[in-house]
Amino acid sequence: MTQRILIIGAGFAGMWAALSAARLLDQAKKDKAVEVALIAPEPALHVRPRFYEVNPTAMQAPLRDVLAAVGVKYVQGTVQHIRPDKHEVEATGRDGKSFTLSYHRLVLATGSKLVEPPVPGLKEHSFNVDTLANAAKLDAHLAALKTLPDSPARNTVVVAGGGFTGIETATEMPARLRAILGEAADVKVIVVDRAPNIGQELGAGPRPLITAAIEELGIAWKANTSVASVDADGLVTSTGERIEAKTVIWTAGVRASALTAQIDGERDSFGRLHVDSELRVKRVPTVFATGDVAYAAVDDAGNHALMSCQHAISLGRHAGHNVVADLIGHPTRPYSQPKYVTCLDLGAWGAIFTEGWQREIKLRGAEAKALKRQINGEWIYPPRADRAEIFAAADPANLVVA
């Protein structure tokens, strides 16, 4: 009887888990005895790290041919329920009908979602770059600003949240607005952030350069401030200040997929499941978690994977290898990813590239920007639909960062 490995999710972790699983099955000559199936709403990798850029609808890569090239079965559907005790999932197809899939091993790779707290008016009147659809909605909204009368509200963008995504989104906005409204437009970009310092989560090392970029781009930064309410014409901050703005972009915080709640396991503050070194959920040995749903140690120094494509790629490769190894009795590969880098886009100013968990600056300005473009435009995309090329790329021994 054919055994099935079921992977939920076609993001960075899910895609690489599927390709890595197929690789080990091929090496072990077990590809006829074990089926690797990937279930997702559509057979495409949404390149989420690029959604802050212009034309986000182009930031996706088709996967059907890539998966087919290595014998991975694609199943179109959205998983609603996981039943680990029965080794099955319940999903909804495009037609709205429910169906059930059984599995022998499960890989949960359903990523994370933007947190939208109950701020009055937030859901109705703000935008975000969390999903392809929402990024496309923002892109269309920005393009339509030129049809409105010139006013401070039209020309103002407020970015709520000063983390990695907030900084990249905000620093992209001055050039995007001027491209739409004209170089002479009096554009304003304002970041509202609860943290006391610019780039708080990135640490003190990069802060002087982030600050320099923000000042050069003319971006205003309101620290120790949160959003109290949002409406169609602007927002009110926690300090009582009213900011007139037709565009409010929410970037403040993400949480692991809600499906993690259906797995019996310990979770971190982001909802990620605690996994062992082989990426098994600690209380459910037939379920592996990877990418943004996994709380995984990257080294012996106490560091853990971040919710980023940098970690998701390696996590996915290891999860795919290990789920197959576990099923067929081959040696597993403990997950380890001790090298950590940051490449932060800072719009027209350039970018910064850092190494290590202390984020030591290695490149800045135009040189770092060129690297960022290479990362975003080449390195994080899927391989071609070539079996040999895919298997070479899916090796968990490959370093995401050399």
Side-chain angles (χ1 to χ4, degrees), residues 7-9 13-14 17 48 82 106-113 254-263 265-276 279-282 287-296 305-308 311-312 315-316 319:
I7 299 164
I8 309 176
R48 190 181 186 189
I82 302 172
L106 181 72
V107 179
L108 185 64
T110 43
S112 58
K113 185 178 180 181
V254 295
R255 187 169 179 81
S257 162
L259 286 176
T260 57
Q262 298 183 27
I263 307 294
E266 185 181 356
R267 296 166 189 79
D268 75 344
S269 61
F270 296 102
R272 298 181 297 177
L273 289 158
H274 284 231
V275 294
D276 63 18
L279 305 183
R280 287 188 196 88
V281 176
K282 290 186 176 179
V287 176
F288 290 68
T290 190
D292 284 3
V293 298
Y295 181 67
L306 300 181
M307 298 164 92
S308 69
H311 288 108
L315 281 163

Side-chain angles (χ1 to χ4, degrees), residues 114-131 133-139 141-142 156-161 169 227-236 245-252:
L114 183 71
V115 175
E116 291 183 306
V119 173
L122 182 66
K123 286 184 179 294
E124 297 84 358
H125 301 295
S126 72
F127 299 87
N128 66 67
V129 293
D130 189 51
T131 66
N134 285 335
K137 182 180 176 183
L138 170 63
D139 197 49
H141 165 80
L142 292 172
T156 300
V157 170
V158 178
V159 176
T169 302
V227 176
S229 65
V230 186
D231 57 58
D233 297 309
L235 59 81
V236 176
K246 287 292 186 182
T247 310
V248 177
I249 306 172
W250 185 263
T251 70

Side-chain angles (χ1 to χ4, degrees), residues 2 4 51 55 57 65 167 178 322 347 368 374 398:
T2 301
R4 176 183 291 145
F51 287 173
N55 192 24
T57 54
D65 290 347
I167 291 170
R178 290 192 178 96
N322 288 340
Q374 189 173 24
N398 289 341

Side-chain angles (χ1 to χ4, degrees), residues 6-9 39 78-91 100-101 103 105-110 257-264 273 281 284 286-289 293:
L6 182 61
I7 299 164
I8 309 176
I39 182 169
T78 302
V79 172
Q80 307 291 348
H81 301 286
I82 302 172
R83 302 187 182 99
D85 56 330
K86 296 183 178 180
H87 287 195
E88 67 180 26
V89 304
E90 182 182 334
T100 299
L101 280 175
Y103 64 83
R105 295 292 187 276
L106 181 72
V107 179
L108 185 64
T110 43
S257 162
L259 286 176
T260 57
Q262 298 183 27
I263 307 294
D264 181 23
L273 289 158
V281 176
V284 191
T286 58
V287 176
F288 290 68
V293 298

